[in-house]
DNA sequence: GTTGAGCGTT
């Protein structure tokens, strides 16, 4: 048994329960401050465990007492202390000191064979103005806190994927624009040249490139062939630049 | 189809 803290580990969760349903069970013992359910990054399948941060140790203690061996679906779930102070305590470990706010719950992937395709569909359901405002927000975040933006994109490849498609749908970063960026001659100073070039690009383009660089190999594989090559080239050209900001 | 133990997905 671990040191008592505010964060509790939930394990042996049924694979067929949604994030929302697990959260509800977690909330049944008290207010939840932060919550994270784990999925396989590639397949989108649930890993069957989660972390719940409660507002205080008393509530967490109550969770350990009441949720351990609680029957959910067809399983007896496990609940014990995680031993960490807060869910986002990878700050010390990664050493970057960047703290991102908790993200909203994702949508249910159960029954989806292709999570990347689903991301695309979700983006398509958004209003044009909504897409613009999301892009605008991403742009402003990239400008005011580039490191946080990098971290956000690195940790959430679906978001990078969504931003690339949002750029396409709003014609803010169409294949033509990408080609235009790639067509710029690369000077001899390699890295510095690429960095200078990057800095000289419109913010819109910078933001799209960041998103592109954060795409996983798997996501790239799933792009249209026409986009795919450009994306690969973009990534090759700028990933070092983006990673060194 | 690889779905059952999993303690933080780099």
């Amino acid at each position: 048994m671990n040191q008592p803290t505010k964060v509790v580990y939930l394990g042996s969760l049924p694979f067929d329960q949604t994030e929302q349903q697990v959260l509800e069970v977690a909330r049944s013992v008290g207010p939840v401050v932060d919550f994270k359910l784990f999925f396989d990054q590639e397949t989108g399948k649930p890993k069957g465990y989660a972390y719940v941060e409660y507002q205080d140790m008393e509530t967490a203690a109550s969770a350990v007492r009441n949720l351990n061996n609680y029957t959910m679906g067809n399983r007896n779930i496990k609940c014990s202390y995680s031993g960490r102070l807060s869910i986002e305590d990878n700050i010390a470990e990664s050493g970057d000191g960047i703290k991102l706010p908790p993200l909203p719950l994702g949508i249910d992937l159960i029954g989806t064979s292709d999570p990347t395709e689903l991301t695309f569909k979700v983006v398509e359901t958004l209003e044009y103005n909504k897409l613009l405002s999301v892009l605008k927000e991403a742009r402003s975040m990239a400008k005011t806190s580039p490191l946080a933006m990098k971290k956000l994109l690195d940790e959430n490849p679906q978001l990078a994927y969504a931003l690339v498609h949002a750029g396409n749908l709003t014609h803010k970063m169409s294949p033509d624009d990408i080609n235009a960026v790639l067509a710029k001659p690369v000077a001899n100073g390699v890295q510095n040249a690429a960095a200078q070039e990057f800095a000289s690009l419109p913010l819109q383009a910078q933001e799209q490139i960041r998103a592109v660089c954060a795409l996983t190999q798997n996501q790239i594989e799933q792009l249209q062939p026409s986009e795919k090559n450009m994306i690969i080239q973009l990534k090759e050209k700028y990933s070092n630049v983006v990673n060194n900001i």
Side-chain angles (χ1 to χ4, degrees):
Chain A
M1 183 88 60
N2 260 321
Q3 282 302 303
T5 50
K6 297 189 296 182
V7 183
V8 129
Y9 165 83
L10 288 181
S12 211
L13 300 166
F15 292 140
D16 62 351
Q17 303 280 315
T18 65
E19 201 168 15
Q20 193 58 249
Q21 289 172 306
V22 177
L23 220 207
E24 272 165 32
V25 169
R27 283 213 249 257
S28 68
V29 315
V32 169
V33 173
D34 202 355
F35 172 81
K36 194 176 269 187
L37 179 63
F38 285 79
F39 298 91
D40 187 289
Q41 293 270 263
E42 312 274 289
T43 65
K45 294 206 176 114
K47 292 188 146 179
Y49 65 90
Y51 292 91
V52 184
E53 181 176 344
Y54 289 103
Q55 59 189 181
D56 48 48
M57 283 184 27
E58 289 68 34
T59 316
S62 163
V64 172
R65 265 183 275 112
N66 295 300
L67 261 27
N68 193 38
N69 289 324
Y70 175 85
T71 305
M72 188 180 183
N74 52 346
R75 312 214 102 221
N76 285 356
I77 69 173
K78 300 295 161 214
C79 182
S80 55
Y81 291 114
S82 81
R84 295 207 190 170
L85 294 155
S86 81
I87 287 186
E88 294 299 343
D89 256 355
N90 47 18
I91 306 164
E93 174 201 324
S94 60
D96 59 15
I98 297 166
K99 184 144 176 113
L100 299 171
L103 291 176
L105 287 190
I107 63 165
D108 189 6
L109 280 177
I110 291 164
T112 318
S113 55
D114 190 346
T116 305
E117 179 61 22
L118 186 64
T119 303
F120 182 47
K121 285 192 181 137
V122 169
V123 172
E124 281 187 317
T125 67
L126 299 174
E127 304 278 340
Y128 182 78
N129 282 337
K130 181 69 183 168
L131 289 175
L132 286 184
S133 76
V134 167
L135 286 171
K136 195 174 164 194
E137 209 170 315
R139 198 175 311 139
S140 102
M141 181 173 176
K143 194 181 176 187
T144 58
S145 29
L147 288 172
M149 188 56 176
K150 173 174 158 24
K151 181 170 171 154
L152 182 69
L153 289 174
D154 285 348
E155 288 181 2
N156 302 280
Q158 347 72 271
L159 179 60
Y161 192 69
L163 286 176
V164 169
H165 276 291
N168 262 316
L169 291 174
T170 57
H171 308 294
K172 293 298 175 193
M173 197 66 186
S174 65
D176 283 351
D177 297 327
I178 296 177
N179 270 329
V181 169
L182 285 172
K184 286 196 167 195
V186 192
N188 309 336
V190 205
Q191 212 43 258
N192 276 343
Q196 276 179 20
E197 226 183 283
F198 182 80
S200 75
L201 293 170
L203 287 177
Q204 244 166 33
Q206 292 187 18
E207 147 220 330
Q208 285 294 306
I209 289 170
R210 267 180 233 274
V212 164
C213 290
L215 289 176
T216 65
Q217 200 48 45
N218 227 287
Q219 288 174 323
I220 292 175
E221 291 307 324
Q222 297 181 59
L223 294 166
Q224 303 295 322
S226 60
E227 300 176 76
K228 194 169 146 182
N229 272 336
M230 292 185 289
I231 297 284
I232 290 171
Q233 290 179 60
L234 256 193
K235 200 176 164 177
E236 266 173 21
K237 185 166 174 184
Y238 289 108
S239 63
N240 283 332
V241 175
V242 169
N243 286 330
N244 286 328
I245 287 173

